[in-house]
Amino acid sequence: MALLEIDNLHAKIDGEHGKEILKGLSLKVNPGEVHAIMGPNGSGKSTLSYILAGKDDYEVTDGSVSLDGEDLLEMEIDERAAKGVFLAFQYPVEVPGVATMTFLRSALNAQRKKRGEEEISTPDFLRLVKDKAAGLGISQDMLRRGVNVGFSGGEKKRAEILQMAVLEPKVAILDETDSGLDIDALKVVSEGVNALRSPDRAMIVITHYQRLLNHIVPDFVHVMHKGRIVRSGGKELALELEANGYAEYQQDAA
Amino acid sequence: MPAVQETVDQVRSLDVDQYKYGFFTDIESEKAPKGLNEDTVRFISAKKDEPEWMLEWRLEAFRRWQTMQEPEWARVSYPRIDYQDLYYYSAPKRPTQLSIDDIDPEILKTYEKLGIPLRERDALLGIESTGGSKVAVDAVFDSVSVATTFKEELAKAGVIFMPISEAIREYPELVRKYLGSVVPVTDNYFATLNSAVFSDGSFVYVPKGVRCPMELSTYFRINERNTGQFERTLIIADEGAYVSYLEGCTAPQRDENQLHAAVVELVALADAEIKYSTVQNWYPGDKDGKGGIYNFVTKRGDCRGDRSKISWTQVETGSAITWKYPSCILRGDNSQGEFYSIAISNGYQQVDSGTKMIHLGKNTSSRIISKGIAAGHSDNTYRGLVSAHRKATGARNFTNCDSLLIGDKCGAHTVPYIESKNSSAQFEHEATTSKISDDQLFYCRQRGLDPEEATALIVNGFVKDVLQQLPMEFAVEAQKLIAVSLEGSVG
C-alpha cells in the first residue's frame, strides 16, 4: 500500500459555475520517495496541493485520496495535519502579534494532542527549535517576531522549512518553494529540505523550474498539464523539460 | 465563499451560549420595595446606616435625576427601561462582613464556583499552587459587600480597603472630600441615578508614599431577579502612592435585561499612580439577543497632582449593552493617562465604549490603545475624545484603534473626537479595521490547530499589546475568557 494514493481525482472551484481544475489525476507516493511535479502555469499544481491540505475553496467531484489507507478527503484540515500532511506554502501567511516560537509550539502541541500524545516540555521544545533553526540560519530574533510579519521572501521560505522540521510530517508538499529565492537562499532552503529526507517521509515538490531539482534531487518527475499527469519519468525528465520547455504539452492539448 | 457561509452557520448555532457563570444562587434576600422614589433612597440610606449628609447628597441627586433625559447619542438600541419596575436594593438576609464563618455558605459557594476564594487561607493555598501573588478581594453580591479579604494585612501598610458603605461611616471626612469630586452628581443620567441609589462598591485609600503591598480587587455579582446593581467605587492614591486594582463581574443567565449603572472615581495626587483593570463578563444575553445586562457605567480618573498617572485597562466580553468610557482628566502638569481596551462582542451584543482624555495641565500625555473584536450579529463602536485646554501646552496623545471582524453580520465603528485649543498639542490617531482572513485560518489549521484554537491564536495576537498591560495573573484569565467568548464564532 502506498503512503499516499491519489486515484482519478477530479476537482473544481467551489460554487455553482466553478471551473474544473483537476481532471482525473492519479499518483502513488511511497515512504522515502521524492516526487517532483512540474508543469506550466495554470496546470493545476497549486490546486492539487490545496486539495491535499483540505482548503475549502474546492470541491472534489470524483476520485479518491488515501493516506495510509485512510480516506484523506473525509478529514478536517487540522486532522490531516495531525496525520502528517504538511504544506509548505508558496505565499506563507502573516499572523501578526503571534511570535513564531508561540505559533510553532501551539501547532506542535495541537498535533500531539490530536494523536493522543503528551504535550512537549518547554526545555525539549526550546532545544528542538534551536537545533533546527540553527541549520536554517534562523535567528532567535526572527523566532520572536510575529509569524511571517516583516520577513523577507527568503526568510518566509526558511521559516516554512523550519515548521516542517519541527512538525516532522509524513508527507510534505512543497508548493513552489523556490519562487522568489535567489541562488544563496535556494541553497539554504534546499539543504534544509534534504536534511529532512528520510525513509519514512515522502515529499512532493511542486515547481515550475528545473533549477530547484538540481538541489533537491527527485526520485520521480511528473509533468502536469490541464489537471492531469501527462508524463512521468526519472530525474532526467526534468532536464529534458528544462531544454525543451512545456511547449510540446501545450501544443498537444490545443 | 464557503468558509464564510460556514462561519455564519456556526455563529448561528453556537453563538453566546457559552456563558459559564449563568447560575443563580438561591438565598433569602431582603429587598427595597419595587420602584424608585424618595422613599427608596431613604430606605437604602437607612439600610446602610448612613449619616445625614449622605442622605441629603443622595436626595439631591435623585431630584436632579428626575429632571434629566436618558442619553440617546450612543450607537446602541434597547427598549425603554421602566425605572419603576426595578428593585434598587437587594441584600442577603444573613448578616455580611462578619467573620467568614458567619457568611451564608451558599454565598461562599457561589464565589468558589466563580473561582474567587473568600477565605484567606484558601486564597493563600491557591497562590501556593499557582505561584501567583496575593490579591485582596472585596466581594459585592447584589447591593452589598459580603466579604473583604486581607483587610488587616492592608491596614498594617496604612491602606484602607473596605466596602464604601463602611467607609462612609468610618472615614466620613475622606469620603466627603472625594466622593463626587471626579464624577459630579450631575454628570450624566446614569451617574446621577447611581448617586441617588448606589448601594455598595469598594473604597480604597493609599496614604502618602505607600506602595500598596498587594493587588486589590472587587468581584461584582448580580444575583437577584429584576434588580439593578448600582456600584460605587472610589479610589484615592495620595502623594507618591501606588495601587493596582482589578474588578470582575458576572451575573446569572436570565431572559430579562438587568441594569448595572456604576460610577467609579479615581483620584491620583502628585506623583501617585493608579492602575485600574476590568474584566467585565456580565451575562451577554442568549443567542437570539434575549436577556443580558445593560452595563451603563461612568468611570473617570482625575490626575489631580503633578506627575500623577492613571491607567485603565479593560477586557470587555460580557453585557448585552455596554456604554462605558473610562476617562482621564489630566489636570496636574506632566500627568499621564492611559487607556488599553479589548472589547469583544458576539451574538447580539452592542458595545459603545472608549475613553476621554482631557488635557488640562502642561506637558500632559495620554495613550489610547483600543482593540475591538466583533463576531456574530454584534456591533462594536469605539468612541473617544481627546481634548486639549488652551493652557495645556505640550499636550500629547497617541491613539490607535483597531477592529477585527469575524464573519459578515457584525459591525465595527470608530468615532474619534479631537479638540485642541492649544497649538502646541500633538495628537496622533491611527485606526484600522481588518477581518480574520480565510487564508490565516487555513494556514493555522494546516499546521494542526482546530478552528477555535486558530481563532484564539489570531485574536490573541491581535490584542497582545493590550493583554500585556494586565497584571500577569489576570492576563492568563483574560486570554481564556477571550477564547471562550469567541467559541463557535468561526467555522
Side-chain angles (χ1 to χ4, degrees), chain B residues 230-258:
Chain B
F230 303 92
E231 145 213 356
R232 185 100 197 181
T233 290
L234 175 58
I235 299 177
I236 302 137
D238 212 325
E239 288 173 19
Y242 168 85
V243 62
S244 168
Y245 175 94
L246 180 118
E247 61 169 353
C249 333
T250 59
Q253 205 154 339
R254 291 217 174 90
D255 285 351
E256 77 212 33
N257 293 106
Q258 278 182 285

Side-chain angles (χ1 to χ4, degrees), chain A residues 82 107-121:
Chain A
L108 181 59
N109 281 333
Q111 291 200 11
R112 290 171 81 120
K113 203 172 77 191
K114 284 196 184 71
R115 293 194 291 257
E117 298 163 13
E118 292 263 316
E119 291 203 349
I120 190 166
S121 74

Side-chain angles (χ1 to χ4, degrees), chain A residues 8-78:
Chain A
N8 189 34
L9 189 64
H10 289 256
K12 65 183 196 67
I13 294 176
D14 206 32
E16 213 176 316
H17 303 289
K19 191 178 158 210
E20 186 170 49
I21 301 196
L22 299 186
K23 301 168 181 173
L25 185 139
S26 298
L27 179 67
K28 274 186 197 176
V29 180
N30 292 303
E33 293 176 353
V34 173
H35 291 247
I37 296 183
M38 303 183 69
N41 289 330
S43 56
K45 304 188 300 285
S46 286
T47 301
L48 174 64
S49 70
Y50 286 145
I51 287 173
L52 292 177
K55 200 170 190 209
D56 286 330
D57 307 355
Y58 305 94
E59 186 192 338
V60 173
T61 51
D62 199 8
S64 64
V65 182
S66 67
L67 177 73
D68 272 333
E70 286 183 83
D71 186 350
L72 186 74
L73 300 176
E74 279 300 302
M75 297 177 201
E76 291 291 327
I77 303 167
D78 37 301

Side-chain angles (χ1 to χ4, degrees), chain A residues 14 76 78 81 85 87 94 97-98 107 110-111 113-114 148 160 163, chain B residues 2-3 439-440 442-450 453 457 461 464:
Chain A
D14 206 32
E76 291 291 327
D78 37 301
V85 175
L87 172 61
E94 295 185 2
V98 179
Q111 291 200 11
K113 203 172 77 191
K114 284 196 184 71
N148 294 318
E160 290 291 288
Q163 293 184 34
Chain B
D439 285 343
Q440 276 176 327
F442 175 59
Y443 188 69
C444 294
R445 293 189 67 192
Q446 208 300 306
R447 297 305 185 244
L449 299 162
D450 68 30
E453 290 167 333
L457 192 77
K464 197 185 77 182

Side-chain angles (χ1 to χ4, degrees), chain A residues 158-226:
Chain A
R158 277 188 279 150
E160 290 291 288
I161 304 308
L162 173 66
Q163 293 184 34
M164 174 169 145
V166 169
L167 297 173
E168 301 188 306
K170 279 190 196 162
V171 180
I173 306 156
L174 282 65
D175 187 7
E176 310 254 359
T177 294
D178 50 333
S179 70
L181 294 187
D182 62 31
I183 191 69
D184 294 326
L186 185 69
K187 269 189 191 156
V188 176
V189 168
S190 305
E191 277 166 24
V193 173
N194 286 330
L196 294 172
R197 288 178 81 148
S198 110
D200 310 319
R201 180 173 297 132
M203 293 189 189
I204 298 173
V205 180
I206 292 173
T207 181
H208 190 82
Y209 301 105
Q210 191 270 339
R211 79 174 178 158
L212 176 67
L213 305 180
N214 289 335
H215 301 278
I216 305 172
V217 181
D219 301 302
F220 303 95
V221 174
H222 309 277
V223 181
M224 194 167 166
H225 182 56
K226 295 215 161 173

Side-chain angles (χ1 to χ4, degrees), chain B residues 9 24 44 58 63 107-108 116 159-161 193-194 219 306 350 352 360 384 419 437 443 446 451 489:
Chain B
D9 292 346
F24 166 69
I44 295 170
R58 286 174 179 276
R63 286 168 202 140
I107 291 181
L108 286 181
I116 316 290
V159 175
I160 305 170
F161 179 46
L193 174 64
N194 174 288
Y219 197 91
D306 294 348
Q350 306 173 54
D352 195 302
L360 302 179
E419 294 169 8
S437 72
Y443 188 69
Q446 208 300 306
S489 61

